[in-house]
Amino acid sequence: MINPRTSRLAAAISLVSALALTATACGDDGSGITGAEGAEGPGTGKVVFWDENGGVRTAVWKEIIADFEKANPDIDVQYVGIASTEAQSKYDTAIQGGGLPDVGGVGAAMVAGIAAQDALEPLDDRIEASSLKGKLNESMTENVRSAGGRDELYTVPISATNGVLYYRTDLFEKAGLGEPATWDDFYAAAEKLTDRKKNRFGYTIRGGPGSIAQALDAMYGQSGIESFWDESGTRTTVNDPKNVAALEKYAGLYRKATPEADLNNDFTKMVAQFDSGSIAMLNHNLGSYQDHVTSLGNDTFRGIPQPELPDGTRVMVSNPVSGLGLLKSSGNKAAAWKFIEFAASHASNSKFSESAGLIPANEEAAEDPWLDKAETTKLGAEALFSGDTKIVQLPYYLPDWNTLSKADSESGFQKVLLGKTSAQDFLDTLAEDLDEAQAEWKEQQG
């Protein structure tokens, strides 16, 4: 029988090859085609910029563009907003048919696929010779470098949205509980704050779309394992006995300290339950911080980094870092780089991150006063910038990562919650697929 995962990988590789062979120049919202070397250009004129989270971040990007054009009156930045759900297909279509931008928003989850098609310019030398040298957070830089799957940097990191444990301070105070700073505190609070007769629960577990990333965060956070692969780089640690035990404990919360409906929960339903007061704790990321502030103000909840182990160690899995890439086909790379450097500078990065409620990649921006008013973001930044938090880099570079960590695994995790599959069997199956994907990726790298 043909392995479905192997078939998908072969199809993906064939598609990349086909796209590279059939690329032709066309389109009116970009500058070139994949593989073309482009040119440095005059450093003036038009620069096309694709925002991969258009609509959500359009307003702040237009402010930054206005600031840039004021400082560089001989450069005109053309903004193109793209919905996040359409960004990957938009890039793929342009790589095939032309019309790539000069600068593009490229998150860590997309960078490997675009770089593999020879569409992105390596940026290490440009950063080294720029005002950004030494100013970008090392953890975020490592995240996007690792995501590219090569020893080159293809995007300049802009912001991060780390995992957060939100908790209702009003419910904790009423129950006489302190902050759930450790995993022991977390489990004790989840049990104590559950009253099934009153439809109140200590925690909401993500059983629907997006469940695997949250489960991995809980697993590695409790096990203390600091790498996704063993020392050989060929075998994953997801089914290490410590991770298996951690998943068993975490999944054991389902129906004991969580609603039964959590089996199909996505983050929208989880946020609504938490904000209504029927849930005491919620794991999500900084993306929902502003929603909580809007619904609850700042007096009835807090958002803190993932709990620590008893010895004070904190381990978290990487969240995709957003970044800006320079497209190799650009005919005006000098001007495009000026825009990227400006956007990642202290002032611009601070403006962007404050608007979005995210952790800035620029270390100077991470020290600005606005973070004092956005406690959850500030705590996340402190955890990330301190160097004490251990970040497990997820293999975004694997062609099959999105499928393996979503469609292929979410139904299996639901079976673990229901007690139909053991944590050991689930993780062994996931590990087998990951090891095979890693071996094939390494073979493709030569």
Side-chain angles (χ1 to χ4, degrees):
M1 180 179 292
I2 297 175
N3 186 318
R5 197 199 59 72
T6 303
S7 298
R8 286 194 302 272
L9 179 59
I13 294 170
S14 297
L15 176 61
V16 170
S17 300
L19 295 182
L21 289 171
T22 61
T24 56
C26 65
D28 59 4
D29 60 353
S31 63
I33 60 174
T34 183
E37 286 301 323
E40 285 298 302
T44 60
K46 186 177 78 170
V47 170
V48 177
F49 165 50
W50 283 7
D51 170 17
E52 90 285 18
N53 202 5
V56 178
R57 307 286 181 240
T58 297
V60 67
W61 272 124
K62 287 192 172 182
E63 285 187 36
I64 292 171
I65 290 170
D67 293 341
F68 174 76
E69 291 178 340
K70 183 177 180 180
N72 299 270
D74 54 356
I75 301 177
D76 174 35
V77 178
Q78 179 182 331
Y79 173 88
V80 180
I82 305 169
S84 60
T85 55
E86 301 173 0
Q88 184 68 63
S89 62
K90 178 78 171 177
Y91 276 108
D92 289 341
T93 299
I95 287 171
Q96 180 179 17
L100 285 166
D102 299 286
V103 177
V106 181
M110 293 195 299
V111 65
I114 299 174
Q117 299 178 70
D118 199 28
L120 290 171
E121 181 98 350
L123 299 176
D124 290 280
D125 290 344
R126 292 181 188 268
I127 291 174
E128 185 70 15
S130 77
S131 62
L132 299 178
K133 180 181 178 180
K135 300 294 178 63
L136 301 174
N137 176 258
E138 290 184 8
S139 179
M140 293 191 205
T141 301
E142 175 57 28
N143 179 288
V144 293
R145 185 185 299 279
S146 173
R150 308 177 190 180
D151 191 24
E152 291 181 309
L153 195 65
Y154 290 104
T155 64
V156 173
I158 295 296
S159 62
T161 171
N162 281 3
V164 176
L165 176 62
Y166 295 101
Y167 72 98
R168 291 289 300 251
T169 53
D170 52 346
L171 301 180
F172 271 70
E173 290 172 3
K174 186 176 180 180
L177 293 172
E179 180 176 282
T182 69
W183 284 102
D184 288 341
D185 295 337
F186 164 78
Y187 282 107
E191 181 177 355
K192 185 167 184 178
L193 291 169
T194 297
D195 188 338
R196 302 186 66 86
K197 293 181 180 178
K198 294 183 179 180
N199 200 37
R200 293 185 178 277
F201 300 91
Y203 186 62
T204 175
I205 200 167
R206 191 166 185 167
S211 62
I212 304 305
Q214 184 173 302
L216 290 173
D217 217 3
M219 284 163 47
Y220 282 93
Q222 294 174 80
S223 71
I225 296 171
E226 299 177 10
S227 175
F228 196 79
W229 304 102
D230 65 8
E231 292 183 1
S232 71
T234 60
R235 297 182 63 83
T236 181
T237 57
V238 293
N239 61 337
D240 182 282
K242 292 181 180 179
N243 275 334
V244 173
L247 184 61
E248 288 174 343
K249 188 170 186 178
Y250 179 70
L253 291 171
Y254 178 62
R255 289 190 293 200
K256 177 182 178 183
T258 78
E260 187 169 352
D262 278 6
L263 184 69
N264 297 300
N265 250 7
D266 59 16
F267 86 91
T268 303
K269 295 174 184 175
M270 295 162 65
V271 167
Q273 290 178 130
F274 178 81
D275 289 350
S276 73
S278 61
I279 300 292
M281 291 185 292
L282 159 74
N283 272 117
H284 192 230
N285 56 46
L286 285 170
S288 62
Y289 173 61
Q290 295 293 351
D291 294 331
H292 301 311
V293 172
T294 299
S295 297
L296 303 171
N298 290 305
D299 299 329
T300 57
F301 86 98
R302 289 191 76 199
I304 61 176
Q306 288 285 59
E308 298 177 342
L309 291 167
D311 64 0
T313 300
R314 177 181 286 117
V315 178
M316 300 170 64
V317 301
S318 59
N319 277 260
V321 172
S322 65
L324 295 178
L326 175 62
L327 278 297
K328 182 178 287 189
S329 59
S330 172
N332 200 3
K333 293 179 184 178
W337 175 252
K338 284 182 183 179
F339 176 64
I340 293 175
E341 186 177 3
F342 184 90
S345 69
H346 178 180
S348 297
N349 193 222
S350 185
K351 176 179 287 190
F352 176 84
S353 301
E354 180 177 10
S355 171
L358 303 176
I359 301 172
N362 188 294
E363 293 189 334
E364 293 175 334
E367 297 177 358
D368 283 350
W370 66 265
L371 276 92
D372 293 329
K373 301 176 183 178
E375 183 194 41
T376 300
T377 305
K378 180 180 180 180
L379 292 174
E382 289 175 349
L384 193 63
F385 282 62
S386 68
D388 296 331
T389 299
K390 309 301 180 183
I391 304 295
V392 177
Q393 299 293 347
L394 298 182
Y396 299 113
Y397 58 84
L398 291 178
D400 261 4
W401 171 249
N402 283 337
T403 302
L404 287 173
S405 63
K406 293 179 182 178
D408 282 4
S409 299
E410 288 173 349
S411 61
F413 180 62
Q414 288 178 326
K415 291 179 181 178
V416 174
L417 295 178
L418 293 170
K420 295 181 178 180
T421 298
S422 68
Q424 182 76 66
D425 287 345
F426 169 70
L427 292 178
D428 282 346
T429 298
L430 178 57
E432 182 179 356
D433 287 341
L434 285 166
D435 290 347
E436 185 179 348
Q438 178 78 338
E440 292 182 354
W441 178 79
K442 283 181 173 292
E443 183 179 352
Q444 290 297 322
Q445 301 310 300

